[in-house]
Amino acid sequence: LAGSIGRAAADRIVAAIERATREGLPLVAAPVSGGTRMQEGTPAFVQMVRISAAVAAHRKAGLPYLVYLRNPTTGGVMASWGSLGHVTVAEPGALVGFLGPRVYEALYDRPFPAGVQTSENLYARGIIDAVVPPEEIADILDRALRILMAPRDGVAPAPDPVDEPVPDVDTWDCVVRSRRPDRPGVRRLLKYAASDVVPLNGTGQGEADPGLLIALARFGDAPCVFLGQDRRGQTTDHPMGPEALREARSFTDSLAGLDI
């Protein structure tokens, strides 16, 4: 029925999520749906609450929940379990949003603005983490799960740094050195020192700061959430601001249950 979710479909989805939680398995959701099955009325509408509660229990158990939004993902699905992923990516050119364009036009007697409800626009606005074609999904899932499911115990500690004397450098010389455009930054660090890097993006609520780089990464055997100031992304018109702090907080809060 137009890809909508009613009570029977919700029962199957909840059963799958609860099984993954019982067996300690990561969960991948790839919805393509118009949302709640309106023909079933309120009993279908409240199924989104059931599915979201099952996802919340899965996340609370410290298990990864990854989402691939396909074309289209709208309505209650997008507003609930489609928006709860630790990592959320979307198909290129997908219609992704809450209110479908035909519903919007029927309500307001004008067409929905072009290009708003696309996966590319949601990525630009910091609502999803990436736009990924289907043939690349296996790779990003593999990299994300290598980090999120990496053992937390038995990671070899890093050796203590060598205690070397710090030379006395003129204050202004320090400032000039810090501003050199060829000074290595966070991207160089990730390129040479990290593996299985999965960039993340935005707060999920419409904010993203180009001066902050957030990623899932592994340094040796140690998985981590990486946050760093990306000078390449900053401009005089958009220096690092409060959006970066909210973006950092949203990811650390979201990933806290995964113990990385």
Side-chain angles (χ1 to χ4, degrees):
L1 291 174
S4 58
I5 292 180
R7 287 174 290 180
D11 287 343
R12 294 196 297 272
I13 294 169
V14 170
I17 298 170
E18 291 177 344
R19 176 186 171 185
T21 306
R22 285 195 309 271
E23 298 185 13
L25 298 172
L27 187 66
V28 178
V32 52
S33 173
T36 300
R37 183 163 300 161
M38 301 302 293
Q39 298 93 327
E40 295 184 19
T42 301
F45 183 79
V46 297
Q47 301 306 312
M48 301 303 106
V49 180
R50 283 184 64 215
I51 297 172
S52 298
V55 169
H58 185 269
R59 288 172 54 115
K60 188 175 181 180
L63 298 168
Y65 176 55
L66 311 176
V67 179
Y68 185 43
L69 303 172
R70 296 182 294 157
N71 181 36
T73 302
T74 60
V77 172
M78 179 59 190
S80 58
W81 54 284
S83 302
L84 296 176
H86 291 110
V87 179
T88 303
V89 300
E91 185 180 355
L95 170 64
V96 180
F98 178 64
L99 194 62
R102 287 183 297 178
V103 176
Y104 180 91
E105 188 166 355
L107 286 174
Y108 300 106
D109 198 27
R110 62 178 183 270
F112 206 96
V116 172
Q117 291 186 314
T118 63
S119 50
E120 289 79 6
N121 186 55
L122 266 62
Y123 171 72
R125 302 294 176 180
I127 296 174
I128 62 175
D129 294 311
V131 178
V132 180
E135 60 270 19
E136 295 180 15
I137 280 297
D139 175 65
I140 194 171
L141 286 176
D142 180 57
R143 286 187 283 122
L145 290 175
R146 281 178 184 270
I147 299 165
L148 297 174
M149 300 296 288
R152 306 296 193 261
D153 300 323
V155 177
D160 293 332
V162 178
D163 189 10
E164 297 180 347
V166 179
D168 188 18
V169 181
D170 179 74
T171 303
W172 183 245
D173 188 27
C174 291
V175 173
V176 172
R177 290 187 189 189
S178 72
R179 295 177 178 177
R180 284 178 54 176
D182 61 342
R183 181 186 178 194
V186 292
R187 292 178 184 272
R188 190 83 60 88
L189 173 64
L190 290 175
K191 180 178 180 180
Y192 291 107
S195 59
D196 297 324
V197 178
V198 179
L200 303 175
N201 174 62
T203 62
Q205 299 178 11
E207 284 189 305
D209 194 311
L212 181 69
L213 191 152
I214 302 180
L216 299 173
R218 283 195 305 137
F219 290 89
D221 294 328
C224 72
V225 181
F226 180 89
L227 295 89
Q229 183 180 4
D230 184 12
R231 292 179 297 131
R232 246 175 49 176
Q234 293 180 253
T235 65
T236 53
D237 293 332
H238 198 157
M240 181 180 282
E243 299 100 326
L245 299 177
R246 288 190 286 270
E247 190 175 359
R249 183 175 62 187
S250 72
F251 277 106
T252 53
D253 289 348
S254 172
L255 298 167
L258 295 175
D259 191 29
I260 60 172

